[in-house]
Amino acid sequence: MKTDKELCGIVGVYKPTGWTSFDVVAKLRGILHTKRIGHGGTLDPMAEGVLPVFVGKAAKACDMLPDRKKAYTAGFKLGLSTDTEDITGRVLNESTEKVTHEELAAAKGSFVGDIMQLPPMYSAVKVGGKKLYELAREGKTVERSPRPIHIDSIEIAQYDESTREGVMLIKCEKGTYVRTVISDIGQKLGVGGVMTSLIRTYSGGIGLDDCMTLGEIEKAVLQNGAESVLSPVDKVFELYYEIRLDERLTRLYKNGVKLEARQVGRAGDDKNYRVYGSQGEFLGLGYFDNSQLRSRKNFY
């Protein structure tokens, strides 16, 4: 098995319900026998689905993903409001008022595009150096400031007018709280709403088809080694153009020499680039500063 320093890659994990994202990371540390692991976006314990996990040097990529898109399949119920904005919370209000499919479709349209969202008290957002969920567990509610988010689309996949329960398909960008979207739609309808289930189907370049369960990962590692479950770290940077260096330029780049844009066949713009060495190895991310190629993050 490879040592900690040699392991580098991404594994798409299908997080099960009842597990925190940290639980998944802790389990993988044992399976892969490495401590340096990070994940690309927290999922609540009641949620399941895509959790990109970054192993070894790839952990440096966690906060640099160019693809901010996420997609969810969310169960919901109207006529109910809770302190957590999901079905597990303490009930605050109930309403028996009916909501038609047409009314629901009209209301959800207000939450597509660039909007402001108030982060829920049960979230990892920090206020005064303390996470909101920690304050919420102490029975405290504090002032929060709305934050800009972007929602690409909200589709009502299922809705039963008699039970006021259904399923939404939501495509959004990083930083969006789906349960808050549902709660806000419910408030706009005047009846309240809670999330009843959540499956993340896409996150930062990783989809459901790219994921394995923890059991599948453990079995694969035992049979074929840790590298068999890892995808190359550059997979999540495919939105960037690439720069290929020859042997001499590879050596210079690795030694910290700033290469001129003309040397690498580029115009010296303000974009990020994937930089590859002469053997096709992914060296990291680079950018141009005054027409000189500089390293933004190395992965070698």
Side-chain angles (χ1 to χ4, degrees):
M1 181 173 290
K2 295 283 185 180
T3 65
D4 288 5
K5 290 184 178 180
E6 292 174 314
L7 275 182
C8 178
I10 302 167
V11 55
V13 180
Y14 190 96
K15 189 193 87 67
T17 56
W19 287 58
T20 66
S21 298
F22 181 79
D23 290 337
V24 172
V25 168
K27 178 68 174 178
L28 282 175
R29 285 187 177 128
I31 294 173
L32 300 175
H33 300 288
T34 185
K35 294 181 179 180
R36 193 175 184 183
I37 296 181
H39 64 77
T42 302
L43 279 177
D44 292 338
M46 76 172 288
E48 59 187 295
V50 177
L51 182 67
V53 175
F54 300 80
V55 181
K57 290 181 180 179
K60 295 188 290 184
C62 285
D63 298 324
M64 302 179 62
L65 304 184
D67 187 347
R68 295 171 55 86
K69 303 294 185 183
K70 297 182 186 291
Y72 299 90
T73 298
F76 68 92
K77 181 176 178 61
L78 300 177
L80 195 64
S81 298
T82 69
D83 58 350
T84 60
E85 300 180 346
D86 60 41
I87 198 66
T88 68
R90 178 173 58 88
V91 176
L92 301 176
N93 293 293
E94 292 186 74
S95 171
T96 58
E97 187 175 339
K98 293 183 178 180
V99 177
T100 66
H101 192 288
E102 290 74 18
E103 290 170 331
L104 175 58
K108 59 95 172 174
S110 302
F111 299 92
V112 175
D114 294 318
I115 65 171
M116 300 297 289
Q117 184 181 72
L118 188 69
M121 278 302 302
Y122 281 89
S123 67
V125 174
K126 287 187 177 181
V127 172
K130 202 162 186 178
K131 292 178 180 178
L132 287 176
Y133 70 78
E134 294 173 338
L135 296 170
R137 288 170 182 170
E138 295 172 5
K140 299 176 182 178
T141 300
V142 298
E143 289 291 326
R144 293 101 72 200
S145 298
R147 304 187 308 169
I149 63 167
H150 181 82
I151 298 178
D152 291 314
S153 63
I154 302 174
E155 178 186 342
I156 309 302
Q158 299 173 28
Y159 180 60
D160 185 330
E161 293 185 2
S162 63
T163 62
R164 295 175 299 173
E165 296 182 30
V167 175
M168 294 182 188
L169 305 180
I170 298 178
K171 294 181 179 179
C172 57
E173 290 193 356
K174 181 180 179 181
T176 302
Y177 285 93
V178 173
R179 52 198 158 95
T180 301
V181 174
I182 292 171
S183 176
D184 288 347
I185 291 174
Q187 292 302 319
K188 185 175 181 63
L189 288 164
V191 299
V194 295
M195 186 177 74
T196 57
S197 64
L198 186 67
I199 302 173
R200 185 156 67 190
T201 57
Y202 181 88
S203 177
I206 306 294
L208 286 175
D209 291 343
D210 302 311
C211 293
M212 294 182 285
T213 66
L214 288 167
E216 290 170 338
I217 293 170
E218 187 167 25
K219 182 178 179 181
V221 170
L222 287 173
Q223 292 179 344
N224 304 304
E227 284 192 336
S228 67
V229 301
L230 299 179
S231 296
V233 65
D234 55 330
K235 173 181 173 64
V236 294
F237 295 117
E238 291 179 345
L239 292 178
Y240 294 150
Y241 290 113
E242 64 179 50
I243 290 175
R244 297 272 174 174
L245 305 178
D246 61 25
E247 187 175 348
R248 185 179 72 86
L249 294 181
T250 297
R251 185 172 63 255
L252 292 174
Y253 184 82
K254 285 186 172 182
N255 287 333
V257 177
K258 299 176 183 64
L259 305 178
E260 295 295 329
R262 57 179 173 75
Q263 291 179 281
V264 298
R266 289 292 175 178
D269 51 35
D270 59 354
K271 298 181 175 66
N272 285 317
Y273 286 88
R274 288 175 287 138
V275 182
Y276 293 87
S278 58
Q279 302 300 312
E281 71 276 26
F282 178 57
L283 300 179
L285 300 179
Y287 70 103
F288 288 100
D289 180 21
N290 293 324
S291 295
Q292 291 183 322
L293 180 63
R294 293 174 178 264
S295 171
R296 189 172 297 283
K297 188 72 70 173
N298 290 325
F299 292 94
Y300 57 86

